[in-house]
Each structure stands twice: as structure tokens, then as C-alpha cells.
Amino acid sequence: MTLGSPAFEARRSSSQVIAKVASIEIPQQGWPELIVNLLSNMTKPDTSPSLKQATLDALGYVCEEICPEDLEQDQVNAVLTAVVQGMNHVENCSDVRLAAVKALYNALDFAETNFQNEVERNYIIKVICETAMCKEADIRKAAFECLVSIASTYYDLLEPYMKTLFELTANVARVDEEPVALQAIEFWSTICDEEIAIQEEGQESDGVNSSCHFHFIEKVLPLLVPMLLQTLMKQEEDQDQDDGIWNISMSGGTCLGLVARVVKDAIVPLVMPFIEGNITKPDWHSREAATFAFGSILEGPSVEKLAPLVNAGFDFLLNATKDQNNHVRDTTAWTLSRIFEFPHSPTRGFSVVTNANLPHIIEILLASINDTPNVSEKICGALYFLAQGYEDAGSMSSVLIPYLGEIISALLTTADRSDSNNSKLCACAYETLNEIVRSSSISKTLNITVQLLQEILRRLNQTFEIQITSSDDKEKQSDIQALLCGVAQVILQKFSSCNEKSAILHFADQMMVVFLRVFSCSSSNVHEEAMLAIGALAYATGPEFVKYMPEFHKYLEMGLQNFEAYQVCCVSVGVVGDICHALDNKVLPYCDGILAALLKDLSSPKLHRSVKPPILSCIGDIALTIGEHFEKYIPYTMPILQGAAELCFRMDLPDDDNIEYQNELRRSIFEAYSGILQGFKNSKSELMVPYASHIFQFVELVLKDNSRDESVTKAGVAVVGDLADALGPNIKLLFKNSNFHSELLGQCSQSDDEQLRETSSWVQGVITRVLVS
């Protein structure tokens, strides 16, 4: 009744409430008259425009709240009929038409059967195209949003309409109001996304595609690229100052970048004349558009195609960092970062950096990092990707060493800048610092890295002196602490990788004190970073870490019980693994508290499901570490593992996310069983005999399921080997009475994966020994 209220707010609220109630009732076949009642509002001759609008809103919200399978096809047909009639130009009220288009947008997922029917599909698309040309801009925008959704949902049915859709979108992108034009460009970005996904699927499956590739982008390329290049000239005067801004120019450049990824080398000859014709013009709009076009096409084309162009334009771009216009400098810095990210790849033989030009490159980048905050942020990106190019480059990675001191100093200064209103520049500077550390050779940069660690610890201590007078101050303190803990973690990982224990041990006490102080701050993102840093410290210091456990274990158990900030809980689980690795048997006094927390996590419905597989793997790590001492936990852990195993076969698996999660769960259960079996191998292995049959049966069921991935197969085969190795003659009958393991190992011995072949060979040997024992 309230849908007919004269008050707009009341109508809107009632349509939302109807949808929320429908989301509960309709999946359970309740409220069968709802759709009929709503549709009757649309067909009564005396229905007021405001009631029609509220009814269409309600239909749209209902479609948003429920799943396509919740409605019968005749209900879907009736909804679509009502919605399309509401969009019709004979409907005089623009509010009704707008509500109808928005309702159609939400109903498109329900219309799969209708789209498979050519007559119905033709009619729906015809009505949308007509609506996309009506006089009201907000209705045109909503119609193009429908076309974007159709491009994503019904890509494989669009071929007959592409000529019409190109003409419609190209015209709108050129002359319409910005909100409408943005949706027209988004249509082509969505087509690109679909075609990129199809190409990637083909690469992963050796060219066998389950999806049809219609090459729409390739077919309209000569017309689409000039249209997109035109949009690049529609910049706004303040577009670089606001992170949240999204305009025609940015949308066109983003789409151009996606087109380059679809058609690869074919984009280059279509874009280069535009770049060459505009790059030196006096109007900054032309120079910025040309630079943006060049940066946009760097991902997609081959290095061979891009190398001569990048080499030819590189010096010009370096000089353009001094352009008088801030927009041009901003886009130039971004383009340099794209050059270092994509074509610059020393490990594959192409680099724009030479011994001759490197001093000049560093000089330019370090001068530009002092530019306005928006330019400085892009220069941080350029330094990040420049360093990343040398991360796995062996002896070539030493080329940056002479400049590390200057680069680190410049990044630390940038992180402290007070002229930047947002924290993004500070975060970019520290992220770049992390990449500089990751990509440098610690043996050649030990002194610099130690100095950096001292500076990071000094800065962490300083954060406790920040005056906290508001929630903003608290947030700023938390953000800086999280970033600094992140840098400390990367340095510790670097020291660990080359076994530089002396430097770590010298600073370990100092680090642990400051990390534990960070836990006194309430923000969960800081706890996550501090916990990761402590995990890295445990890994790096090994058995020496035991002296910190009396104080740290309280925070570790708090982290393990942090259901709300589940990322902190997940990181804490990972740190338990680091501590087991570091302390070995010395972890025993803390196992009661840790395992109690882990088992509580597993039985909690509140904890995000993504944390549960790592917990199961972690139980295996603990069992492996403490060996026979795990005996007292068996009565608690084995029922939970058996419950998790049963859950694997009760899951609904309609989508990829659920299949992936099921695989994670199965792999982690296998890892837990392997850890427990290996832990008991040398003593008390008889404790596991009562569970052997269940474990063997679980492995058999999982490895007969074709939806498993290779990591599950490897973990499952390993469990079979661990069963035989740990329990030996006690389970001889289990192997005698089953052909499954011999079939499985036969298949694995033919695998392309060398590790799987080696594991199956070892397992075969262990089983043979059991059978002849």
C-alpha cells in the first residue's frame, strides 16, 4: 500500500523493505503473490506515475536481492515485459522510464533464457538502444549501463548488434554529457575485459577455448582507436589533484590500454601518428594526451615492437619531467613508470637503461621526486619498477648499488613530506623502499641496509610521541606504524635469505621491544604488519627467539582469537608456523595456549572461512615440530580433522570460488595428517592406527574427484606415503585390500610434474616394503 504514498521517501523506503523481505521469503517459495501484485500495479489503467515508479523500483531491488534461480521463468517473463513497457517512449513520465531502465539493469541476470531467444533478445536490445537516445541524460546513462552489463553477461550473443552499438557509443563518446559518454566508453572497456579473459583462458589451456572469441575489438580497431584518442584531449584543469576523479580522458586512456592488451602489436601503427603529431605542440592538452597515449599502449605489444619506439622517445620523456605544465609532468612520470614496468626487462634482454644513461636517469628521477605530490607519487612508481626489473637479474642487479644511498635518502624525505594532504604519497615512498631492499644484493649493500634498519626503528619509536587528539591523529599514527613495520619485515626477510645473522641479532632486542609496543595501539592493520614483522624476526633469529616468547605469546594468542579482524588472525596463524620452524622443541611450553586458540577458531562460525585451511596446515606444523608430545592433543584434533574432511563433501560447488576453497581445505587437511603422521613416525605411531582407515578412505574419495587441483594431488599422494611410512605393517591389510593406490601411483608416475613423479616413486617404494614385511 505504501508504494502508492504521495511522499517520495515513504515510497522509496517501502520498495526497499519489500525487497529485503523478498530476499528472505522468495528463496523458500514464500510470498508467491508478490510479483503478481507488483505487476498488477503496472497494468491497471488508473495507476499513477508515482506508483509505477515505486513499483519498478521495488522490482529492481527485488532482482538485486535474490538469485536468478529463485524466480520461475514465467515470472521473469512478466517482470521483463513490465519493465520494458515502462521504458517505452509512449510512457510520458521520465521518472517512470528511469525507474524502468534501472529495474532492467538489475533484471538482466534473470534474462538468460530470454536472451537465448533471438526474437526476445532483438526486442530488448532495440528498446535499450532507443532509450539510449532519449532526451533525458540520466535515462541515457542508465540505458548505457544496461549495455555495459549485457557486454559482460551476454558477450557471445552480441555479434549481430555490434555495428549499431559502435555507431551509438562512438557518437555518444564524442558529443554527449560526461556521465553518459563515460558509460559509452565503459562498454568498450568491458568488451576488452571479456576478450582478454578469453585469450588468457586459451593460453592456460594450450589454445583450447571453451568460450567463443568474436574478435570484436580487432574488427572495429581502425574506428575505435581514433575515437578513443579524441577523448584523451578532454582533460580537466584539476584532474591530477583529486585521487577520486574519473573523467572522459582517463576513461578513454584506460580503454586504450585494454585495447592494446587485446590486439597487441596492431595498436602501435594506429597510435603513433597521434603521438608524433601532438607531443611537441604548444597547447598542454596536446602534449599530455600524446604522453598519455604512449603510456597507455605499453602493456600488450611485444618488446620487439616497442623497443625502437621506447628507445627513440626515452630521452624526450626524461626531459619532459621538466615541462612547465603539472599535468604533462604528472603523465610523463606515470609513463616512465610504465616503461620500467613493461618493456624494461633486463632478465629478458631489453633494457632502456645503459651504463651511459643510468646516472642521468637517476638524476632526473631524484629531481622530479621533489615535484608536486601527484608527480612525486608517480616518480616513486618509476623507481619501484626500475628496481623490480633487477630483482632476479643476477649480476646485473648491482647496477643500482652506487645510487642506493641517494635513492633511499630521497624516499625517506618523500615519506616525511608535509605538503601532501593524503597518506598515499607516504605509502608509495615506503613501498618503493621495500622494493629497493628486495632487489638489492645484501652481501654488497649490508652497511646501507643496516643503516636503513636503524632509521626505520628510530622512526617507529618516534611514532609513539605523536600527540593523539583526534581519531585522524590515531589513524595517521597507525598508518605510519604499519608502513614502518612493513619495511622492517622486508629487511628481516632479506637478512634471512643470505644468513646474515649477526646484523639481526645485534638489533633483535630493540626490534622486539618496539614491535610489542605497537601492539598497544588498537588498530588491526598495525597488528597485522607488526605480527608479520615478528614472524620474520622469529624466522631470522631461529632458536634465539625463545627469550621473547614469555612476553610475546600473550599477543600471539590474542591475534589467534581476533575473529573480527580475520586478516590479523590469519597472519597470526602464519607466525605460529614461523615460530615452530625457529624454536623446534622449545615451543612446547606454549603449545597448550596456541592449540586451544586454533581449535576454538576452527569450531567458530564467526571466523571467516578463508582462515580455516591455514589453521589446519598449522596443526600439522605443530605436530611435526613437537613429535611424540602431540599425543595429548590427538583426542581434540582428530575429530575436528574428520569433521573438516566430511565438510569437503557437503559443500555446494556451483562457482569457481567454492571449488578453489574446497581444494584449499582438502590440501590443508592432507598437510595436517602428514605433519601428525611424520611427527609420530619415530615413536608412538600406534596412536594413529585407529584413524588410518578413515584417512585412507578420505584420500581415495578426494583423489577420485576430477575437480581437484594438482597441489591437492601432491598432498594426497604424500599422505598415502606418510601412512605407510609411519604405520608400516600395522596397516598392511589396508593396502592389500585396495587397488586404488596402485592406479593412482601409476597415473602420477606419468605426470609432467617432476616433483609429483618423485613423490609417487618414493610412496611406491614405501608401500612395497610394507606389503613384503
Side-chain angles (χ1 to χ4, degrees):
M1 279 172 61
T2 314
L3 288 176
S5 166
F8 169 73
E9 286 295 343
R11 296 198 300 274
R12 187 173 67 176
S13 296
S14 65
S15 63
Q16 290 169 338
V17 174
I18 285 167
K20 287 294 180 189
V21 176
S23 73
I24 301 165
E25 295 290 325
I26 287 181
Q28 301 177 45
Q29 279 79 50
W31 209 0
E33 69 277 14
L34 169 66
I35 301 294
V36 176
N37 288 349
L38 288 174
L39 292 173
S40 69
N41 286 346
M42 299 303 298
T43 52
K44 286 177 192 162
D46 56 343
T47 301
S48 67
S50 60
L51 177 55
K52 281 187 178 178
Q53 179 198 353
T55 301
L56 288 164
D57 284 342
L59 282 167
Y61 292 143
V62 168
C63 290
E64 197 174 9
E65 289 285 346
I66 64 175
C67 298
E69 54 270 20
D70 293 334
L71 285 187
E72 300 293 332
Q73 187 56 44
D74 58 347
Q75 291 178 305
V76 174
N77 295 343
V79 169
L80 287 173
T81 302
V83 166
V84 170
Q85 277 175 357
M87 288 168 64
N88 207 306
H89 57 83
V90 298
E91 179 60 64
N92 293 321
C93 176
S94 60
D95 288 343
V96 173
R97 291 188 74 191
L98 180 60
V101 186
K102 288 181 173 177
L104 177 63
Y105 177 85
N106 286 324
L108 284 169
D109 280 346
F110 293 75
E112 187 173 352
T113 303
N114 308 83
F115 265 79
Q116 297 300 335
N117 179 315
E118 188 184 352
V119 175
E120 292 181 33
R121 181 174 71 243
N122 288 344
Y123 184 64
I124 293 169
I125 290 180
K126 173 175 169 285
V127 171
I128 295 172
C129 289
E130 285 170 357
T131 310
M133 293 185 286
C134 75
K135 65 179 189 294
E136 295 89 354
D138 53 354
I139 298 177
R140 294 199 300 277
K141 174 177 176 278
F144 276 105
E145 285 170 351
C146 287
L147 289 175
V148 171
S149 178
I150 288 169
S152 168
T153 314
Y154 302 111
Y155 166 89
D156 54 335
L157 298 170
L158 284 179
E159 190 169 34
Y161 316 103
M162 288 309 278
K163 184 172 182 295
T164 303
L165 291 173
F166 178 79
E167 288 166 3
L168 186 63
T169 50
N171 188 44
V172 166
R174 273 194 293 269
V175 301
D176 210 328
E177 293 176 33
E178 182 171 278
V180 188
L182 283 171
Q183 291 303 319
I185 297 167
E186 186 63 24
F187 174 82
W188 290 103
S189 291
T190 305
I191 295 288
C192 287
D193 287 336
E194 292 300 311
E195 299 201 339
I196 290 166
I198 292 166
Q199 287 170 351
E200 287 173 352
E201 184 193 328
Q203 285 164 1
E204 285 169 16
S205 55
D206 297 328
V208 183
N209 259 0
S210 58
S211 314
C212 291
H213 192 337
F214 288 96
H215 303 277
F216 293 138
I217 298 296
E218 200 180 304
K219 288 170 185 170
V220 298
L221 198 60
L223 300 169
L224 179 62
V225 171
M227 183 264 278
L228 293 173
L229 291 172
Q230 267 187 313
T231 66
L232 301 188
M233 305 287 275
K234 298 183 179 181
Q235 307 97 324
E236 292 173 25
E237 294 296 331
D238 60 347
Q239 67 180 28
D240 300 324
Q241 308 307 318
D242 179 2
D243 275 343
I245 203 163
W246 184 246
N247 60 27
I248 298 281
S249 167
M250 292 174 172
S251 179
T254 302
C255 188
L256 188 66
L258 292 168
V259 171
R261 288 175 60 193
V262 174
V263 301
K264 304 192 172 20
D265 289 0
I267 191 90
V268 176
L270 293 169
V271 175
M272 285 314 293
F274 176 84
I275 295 169
E276 289 158 1
N278 287 284
I279 197 77
T280 56
K281 281 188 177 172
D283 179 8
W284 74 263
H285 293 84
S286 300
R287 298 197 304 280
E288 195 274 341
T291 312
F292 192 14
F294 189 54
S296 297
I297 64 165
L298 290 171
E299 183 185 8
S302 62
V303 170
E304 292 74 20
K305 188 76 174 176
L306 290 173
L309 305 173
V310 170
N311 279 328
F314 191 57
D315 284 342
F316 183 91
L317 283 168
L318 289 174
N319 290 329
T321 57
K322 302 187 187 85
D323 194 283
Q324 73 239 35
N325 182 272
N326 180 273
H327 297 297
V328 177
R329 296 197 306 277
D330 181 274
T331 304
T332 300
W334 173 78
T335 300
L336 286 169
S337 79
R338 299 265 296 177
I339 286 174
F340 293 134
E341 184 179 4
F342 296 111
H344 165 73
S345 46
T347 49
R348 288 185 298 157
F350 174 73
S351 177
V352 283
V353 181
T354 63
N355 291 336
N357 71 6
L358 183 56
H360 182 53
I361 293 170
I362 299 296
E363 181 192 344
I364 291 283
L365 294 178
L366 295 188
S368 295
I369 206 169
N370 300 315
D371 203 329
T372 55
N374 58 295
V375 176
S376 182
E377 188 190 309
K378 313 292 191 308
I379 293 292
C380 286
L383 284 165
Y384 180 99
F385 289 116
L386 174 63
Q388 192 179 66
Y390 294 106
E391 198 169 324
D392 300 310
S395 59
M396 280 191 285
S397 64
S398 59
V399 299
L400 293 179
I401 289 176
Y403 310 97
L404 282 190
E406 289 175 85
I407 293 171
I408 289 170
S409 175
L411 289 167
L412 289 169
T413 305
T414 302
D416 286 342
R417 279 175 65 159
S418 57
D419 61 339
S420 175
N421 293 328
N422 64 27
S423 56
K424 199 170 172 196
L425 177 59
C426 178
C428 283
Y430 281 123
E431 282 298 324
T432 304
L433 203 52
N434 289 343
E435 192 53 42
I436 297 289
V437 173
R438 274 194 288 262
S439 60
S440 58
S441 163
I442 195 79
S443 57
K444 296 174 185 172
T445 59
L446 185 59
N447 289 341
I448 294 176
T449 312
V450 168
Q451 286 169 13
L452 176 59
L453 179 58
Q454 287 174 291
E455 174 62 18
I456 295 301
L457 293 175
R458 185 186 72 77
R459 288 175 174 233
L460 258 173
N461 276 312
Q462 275 185 335
T463 62
F464 301 112
E465 293 161 23
I466 294 173
Q467 291 294 309
I468 308 292
T469 57
S470 67
S471 58
D472 283 352
D473 292 340
K474 184 70 186 163
E475 190 179 342
K476 185 180 176 187
Q477 182 194 48
S478 297
D479 289 346
I480 293 172
Q481 287 176 340
L483 291 165
L484 290 166
C485 285
V487 181
Q489 183 207 351
V490 172
I491 294 172
L492 282 165
Q493 287 172 331
K494 197 71 187 176
F495 281 140
S496 298
S497 67
C498 70
N499 236 353
E500 268 300 339
K501 282 280 167 66
S502 57
I504 302 165
L505 295 174
H506 183 71
F507 293 104
D509 288 1
Q510 204 181 332
M511 281 190 270
M512 199 64 193
V513 167
V514 76
F515 293 153
L516 290 176
R517 274 191 82 184
V518 168
F519 281 113
S520 64
C521 303
S522 59
S523 172
S524 62
N525 71 319
V526 186
H527 289 184
E528 190 179 340
E529 293 298 332
M531 194 65 85
L532 284 165
I534 289 173
L537 182 63
Y539 195 86
T541 52
E544 307 284 335
F545 190 81
V546 74
K547 66 179 175 179
Y548 307 122
M549 283 302 289
E551 182 64 18
F552 172 57
H553 82 94
K554 298 177 289 191
Y555 295 107
L556 178 61
E557 286 171 26
M558 276 164 53
L560 290 172
Q561 290 169 45
N562 196 338
F563 295 163
E564 283 72 31
Y566 70 88
Q567 296 92 336
V568 177
C569 185
C570 195
V571 166
S572 303
V573 171
V575 170
V576 172
D578 292 333
I579 288 170
C580 287
H581 177 273
L583 299 188
D584 208 30
N585 256 353
K586 290 178 183 173
V587 80
L588 257 177
Y590 307 99
C591 283
D592 283 2
I594 289 171
L595 272 156
L598 291 175
L599 295 174
K600 191 174 173 185
D601 284 348
L602 286 172
S603 57
S604 166
K606 283 193 213 164
L607 184 62
H608 195 275
R609 73 175 192 172
S610 64
V611 190
K612 296 193 174 182
I615 291 173
L616 294 166
S617 301
C618 184
I619 289 171
D621 288 339
I622 294 170
L624 185 58
T625 302
I626 64 174
E628 63 184 50
H629 301 288
F630 194 77
E631 176 180 0
K632 65 176 176 176
Y633 305 117
I634 284 289
Y636 311 104
T637 53
M638 292 310 289
I640 281 186
L641 284 170
Q642 289 176 337
E646 285 160 21
L647 174 68
C648 287
F649 297 104
R650 290 204 309 272
M651 287 176 67
D652 294 328
L653 297 174
D655 59 34
D656 291 344
D657 282 349
N658 272 344
I659 291 169
E660 188 179 335
Y661 180 71
Q662 187 195 47
N663 277 323
E664 280 176 35
L665 196 57
R666 299 194 289 198
R667 184 179 67 245
S668 62
I669 295 166
F670 287 156
E671 286 168 356
Y673 282 142
S674 277
I676 295 168
L677 287 162
Q678 287 173 35
F680 284 137
K681 178 183 162 184
N682 296 323
S683 67
K684 302 193 178 176
S685 61
E686 67 281 357
L687 290 169
M688 291 301 289
V689 172
Y691 305 102
S693 176
H694 172 84
I695 296 171
F696 193 78
Q697 191 181 7
F698 175 59
V699 175
E700 181 170 357
L701 283 169
V702 170
L703 296 186
K704 283 180 175 174
D705 177 7
N706 293 330
S707 69
R708 72 181 192 277
D709 63 24
E710 196 153 274
S711 67
V712 174
T713 307
K714 285 180 187 173
V717 170
V719 172
V720 175
D722 291 326
L723 268 172
D725 197 27
L727 307 185
N730 289 317
I731 55 163
K732 188 173 180 177
L733 278 176
L734 210 54
F735 289 109
K736 259 190 172 168
N737 296 336
S738 166
N739 296 322
F740 149 72
H741 62 273
S742 49
E743 290 168 20
L744 171 70
L745 295 174
Q747 289 168 15
C748 293
S749 64
Q750 306 297 313
S751 168
D752 296 336
D753 187 296
E754 187 183 350
Q755 189 190 356
L756 183 55
R757 290 201 306 275
E758 285 175 7
T759 305
S760 65
S761 172
W762 168 74
V763 174
Q764 186 65 67
V766 177
I767 291 174
T768 303
R769 283 202 301 279
V770 169
L771 290 173
V772 299
S773 60

